[in-house]
Amino acid sequence: MITIVVGTRPQFIKLAVLVKTFKDEDLKFQIIHTGQHYDYEMDRVFFEELNLPEPIMHLGVGSGSHGEQTGLMLERLEKAYFEIKPKVVIVPGDTNSALAGALAAVKLGIHVFHVEAGLRSRLPFMAEEINRVLVDHMSSLLFAPTETAYQNLLHEGIDKNRAYLTGDVMIDNIIQYKNKIDKTELPVEVESNNYIYTTTHRAENVDYPEKLKEIVEALRLIPEKYGLKVVLPLHPRTKKRLSEYNLLEKLTEHQDVYLIKPLSYFESLKLAKDAAIVLTDSGGLQKEAFVLGTPVVTMRRTTEWIETVKCGWNIITNCNKEKILNGIRKFLDNKPEPVNAVTLYGDGKASQRITNITKKFLEQIGVE
Ligand code: UD1
């Protein structure tokens, strides 16, 4: 029996094909939900849409500062582990839930497996970077989504016997759910190729008024300059900050900027696929857009998905208004040459590889 610890939107998404493969291969598992994300649109919607099994425990941790949130998770996860006595815990991604899931486990002598290991931004104070480096170095098995991620692990001295290049489970999802994505209705009335799909939620962007202001100004200028609509599903953190900094109205009053609630997984992918360009600070969405054939402008200083930049599909602009607008202009003038995304991010069999390696490990340590 394997225990999977999740608590945030990107982790629920990473679970989809993985748990399906576990079921197909008779690999027993149970899910613990930390409760880091709790709004319907950030949590339940993914369990319903992706048909995820119900967690056996919900720890109800909720929001808080990093110390509070992670601390409470550690305390409650430790109690949960004492109760259910897992031998192996799997954590996907790089959120506080992944860090707490791993740290509480290793301190009790429980093996940790990390799905999406080895990604690095090289930004030392970025919360997700701290989480992923720590989780990687606590893990008994590390599943890297890309060759770059795999090499990062080896350069950091992770033993070759622990690290595996499996490909990316999010590509498995896109391949597996292709028909559902195609059949999903766009969540807002826009014409294909006539809008920019944008998301922003990173603490290093939205928690700084001057940066958020640059983003808001860029969004307001897009319709005027390029004749495109802007669709922005609002992450709760972003909504809160826009209100605090008196920026929300600047967007709501603009007739060509559509502010909508956070989207379901299929809605988000459909919107990304049909967009002229995706403008985002999300990690996952950058790569999803690229795989779906939509160029990406990334409002960050760097990216963990460096392959998208190398092949000309991703322009890194940080939160600079001029750079954002120039990036969009560049893609509108010239759509990048098609590339084979599958060779960069896997072949849709990452979940199968992870399952096979996991089964072998369980056999070796004598766990059913
Ligand atoms: C977290 C992850 C980030 C991931 C993102 C996806 C960490 C450090 N960060 O950021 O890597 O990309 O999730 O969404 O784990 N809130 C709600 N309802 C919710 C969840 C959050 O209102 O369901 C609000 C709360 O006010 C909270 C704020 O959003 O204070 C931030 O939530 P938090 O879980 O700290 O991090 P995210 O910004 O969501």
Side-chain angles (χ1 to χ4, degrees):
M1 173 75 83
I2 287 174
T3 302
I4 306 172
V5 176
V6 287
T8 60
R9 176 168 70 175
Q11 292 182 305
F12 308 141
I13 293 169
K14 281 168 201 135
L15 272 196
V17 175
L18 196 60
V19 297
K20 194 173 167 296
T21 317
F22 284 179
K23 277 188 200 161
D24 291 347
E25 295 284 335
D26 273 334
L27 189 57
K28 290 196 205 89
F29 66 92
Q30 55 194 4
I31 296 172
I32 297 182
H33 190 319
T34 63
Q36 178 171 351
H37 285 173
Y38 45 85
D39 286 348
Y40 175 81
E41 291 89 8
M42 301 291 289
D43 172 17
R44 284 304 310 165
V45 65
F46 301 102
F47 282 81
E48 291 168 11
E49 190 178 52
L50 298 169
N51 213 3
L52 300 178
E54 286 304 312
I56 55 150
M57 286 183 186
H58 194 295
L59 306 181
V61 165
S63 305
S65 66
H66 284 286
E68 273 168 355
Q69 191 177 52
T70 314
L72 203 54
M73 282 184 207
L74 281 176
E75 203 179 316
R76 294 188 182 173
L77 280 164
E78 190 175 60
K79 281 201 185 103
Y81 293 163
F82 276 138
E83 197 181 320
I84 61 174
K85 303 192 171 34
K87 295 279 189 298
V88 168
V89 164
I90 293 192
V91 295
D94 57 14
T95 63
N96 288 341
S97 294
L99 173 65
L103 186 54
V106 281
K107 290 288 182 82
L108 296 176
I110 300 164
H111 288 287
V112 174
F113 297 178
H114 189 202
V115 173
E116 207 181 66
L119 292 181
R120 297 291 182 262
S121 66
R122 314 278 173 218
L123 298 175
F125 289 109
M126 179 185 172
E128 293 82 356
E129 181 81 353
I130 298 165
N131 291 346
R132 48 172 100 98
V133 171
L134 292 174
V135 174
D136 282 341
H137 286 265
M138 287 187 263
S139 295
S140 300
L141 287 184
L142 300 94
F143 304 122
T146 62
E147 177 66 32
T148 313
Y150 177 70
Q151 291 302 333
N152 286 339
L153 295 172
L154 299 188
H155 285 143
E156 287 175 24
I158 300 267
D159 194 285
K160 263 194 169 169
N161 296 329
R162 287 159 62 201
Y164 291 87
L165 173 57
T166 56
D168 184 1
V169 287
M170 288 177 79
I171 302 305
D172 292 18
N173 275 355
I174 294 181
I175 293 174
Q176 190 106 356
Y177 293 116
K178 187 179 177 304
N179 288 340
K180 291 207 173 167
I181 299 163
D182 287 341
K183 282 190 200 139
T184 301
E185 300 245 325
L186 284 178
V188 60
E189 263 191 50
V190 279
E191 280 168 42
S192 214
N193 253 316
N194 196 29
Y195 65 91
I196 290 198
Y197 171 24
T198 184
T199 74
T200 175
H201 76 277
R202 292 257 161 225
E204 67 263 27
N205 288 347
V206 303
D207 287 1
Y208 297 86
E210 63 287 2
K211 287 194 185 178
L212 197 52
K213 192 159 169 253
E214 283 280 301
I215 296 176
V216 167
E217 285 180 4
L219 298 186
R220 282 171 57 91
L221 284 168
I222 289 168
E224 183 187 313
K225 280 188 161 271
Y226 306 128
L228 296 169
K229 313 274 185 204
V230 173
V231 183
L232 170 60
L234 267 192
H235 188 285
R237 174 191 279 271
T238 312
K239 192 171 179 191
K240 211 153 111 188
R241 298 291 182 250
L242 284 168
S243 287
E244 278 170 25
Y245 308 151
N246 292 321
L247 291 168
L248 191 58
E249 246 185 30
K250 281 191 181 295
L251 294 176
T252 51
E253 72 184 16
H254 197 299
Q255 60 171 9
D256 291 325
V257 177
Y258 301 133
L259 289 196
I260 54 176
K261 64 179 174 50
L263 299 175
S264 78
Y265 178 60
F266 294 144
E267 284 173 334
S268 178
L269 290 183
K270 176 69 174 172
L271 202 61
K273 190 172 182 194
D274 286 6
I277 289 165
V278 164
L279 171 65
T280 189
D281 61 13
S282 155
L285 185 58
Q286 283 172 52
K287 181 190 49 187
E288 285 166 343
F290 161 67
V291 173
L292 293 164
T294 306
V296 193
V297 174
T298 297
M299 299 183 285
R300 291 181 53 196
R301 280 194 281 158
T302 177
T303 180
E304 299 79 22
W305 305 105
I306 194 69
E307 304 79 11
T308 57
V309 177
K310 285 191 181 151
C311 67
W313 280 73
N314 191 352
I315 297 176
I316 305 291
T317 63
N318 205 353
C319 295
N320 178 298
K321 180 178 70 186
E322 294 307 323
K323 285 189 184 166
I324 293 171
L325 293 169
N326 287 340
I328 292 171
R329 162 96 285 154
K330 207 170 154 209
F331 281 138
L332 290 175
D333 289 346
N334 284 306
K335 197 165 170 178
E337 292 292 315
V339 286
N340 188 352
V342 164
T343 54
L344 294 174
Y345 290 118
D347 51 5
K349 298 196 178 89
S351 308
Q352 189 62 53
R353 289 192 190 94
I354 291 171
T355 307
N356 296 346
I357 299 161
T358 299
K359 274 184 133 178
K360 206 165 151 202
F361 188 96
L362 294 184
E363 261 171 45
Q364 280 166 1
I365 62 166
V367 171
E368 289 234 335

